Amino acid sequence: MGGVSAVDRAERVPKQDRSRATRQRLLEAAVACLAEHGWAGSTVSVVAERAGVSRGAAQHHFPTREDLFTAAVEYVAEERSTALRALFPDGAAGDRRAVVAALVDLYTGPLFRAALHLWVAASNEDQLRPRVTELESRVGRETHRIAVELLSADETVPGVRETVQGLLDMARGLGLANLLTDDAPRRERVVAQWAGLLEETLG
């Protein structure tokens, strides 16, 4: 008889949970390594050690280094999108300054630092470039969509789409500046200025 026993089923679920937990630990460790050590210092072995799993287990989940790091940045990008939505569970209620500040914060954490290392590596690694380009395009579209939603922006009005995109480009620039020095005071002034510009443009 080829049936599956209740014991087999009971054992399979925890195994799936363990596998999922291992994968998540690897992704989180990969992002942390990339943010701290850059591409050159972030090997599969280093990530596996940080995650507390064997190199073989890491390669079971992610056969190549490129698989591991593109999946890691995508995973945390999705986490940040979820976190951004969670900041305004009932919508932003017209508080555009809070939305601008939250969007800018997206580009000043370890995710952005890790993504930046991935972009630099992709500019020199032919295998990595198309995957990172596609990933960034997808993450960018999602961030733009969330921004439009939170800002209650009507993109049928000429110039509104470009204004929202300009906000995200500005936020990325502030994130770059923050890599070298803690730029919080200037960042707050820029956020206030952009919030005012958005009120004028979006109405």
Side-chain angles (χ1 to χ4, degrees):
M1 300 289 288
V4 178
S5 73
V7 173
D8 287 339
R9 281 197 299 274
E11 286 179 351
R12 187 178 300 160
V13 172
K15 187 175 181 182
Q16 287 171 345
D17 287 345
R18 284 197 305 274
S19 177
R20 197 175 297 116
T22 298
R23 187 176 196 278
Q24 185 161 330
R25 281 207 312 277
L26 283 165
L27 294 174
E28 290 170 353
V31 170
C33 284
L34 203 53
E36 290 172 24
H37 308 301
W39 176 255
S42 299
T43 63
V44 173
S45 296
V46 167
V47 172
E49 185 178 345
R50 184 174 187 135
V53 304
S54 69
R55 182 187 166 93
Q59 288 184 313
H60 168 74
H61 286 277
F62 303 102
T64 71
R65 189 180 181 206
E66 290 80 8
D67 288 332
L68 173 60
F69 286 103
T70 50
V73 175
E74 182 171 22
Y75 162 74
V76 182
E78 287 169 0
E79 291 288 296
R80 293 306 293 264
S81 291
T82 301
L84 184 60
R85 287 187 184 285
L87 289 173
F88 305 100
D90 303 313
D95 189 350
R96 285 179 171 144
R97 180 169 178 159
V99 174
V100 173
L103 289 167
V104 166
D105 284 347
L106 272 181
Y107 294 98
T108 53
L111 166 65
F112 180 72
R113 190 178 291 266
L116 185 62
H117 283 296
L118 201 61
W119 299 342
V120 172
S123 70
N124 299 311
E125 302 269 346
D126 288 341
Q127 276 185 299
L128 201 55
R129 191 179 304 119
R131 302 177 71 163
V132 174
T133 301
E134 191 274 333
L135 170 62
E136 281 305 313
S137 176
R138 191 147 35 92
V139 170
R141 284 194 304 271
E142 171 67 0
T143 306
H144 187 100
R145 194 168 63 77
I146 292 172
V148 166
E149 189 179 303
L150 291 175
L151 291 165
S152 302
D154 180 0
E155 291 198 304
T156 64
V157 175
V160 166
R161 179 173 180 77
E162 290 75 14
T163 300
V164 174
Q165 192 57 55
L167 165 63
L168 296 175
D169 289 343
M170 177 276 297
R172 190 179 295 113
L174 289 176
L176 282 169
N178 196 65
L179 289 173
L180 297 175
T181 56
D182 182 4
D183 214 23
R186 186 172 74 91
R187 200 160 63 241
E188 286 175 19
R189 292 195 299 273
V190 174
V191 164
Q193 180 68 15
W194 262 91
L197 291 171
L198 286 169
E199 288 297 338
E200 287 178 26
T201 306
L202 304 183

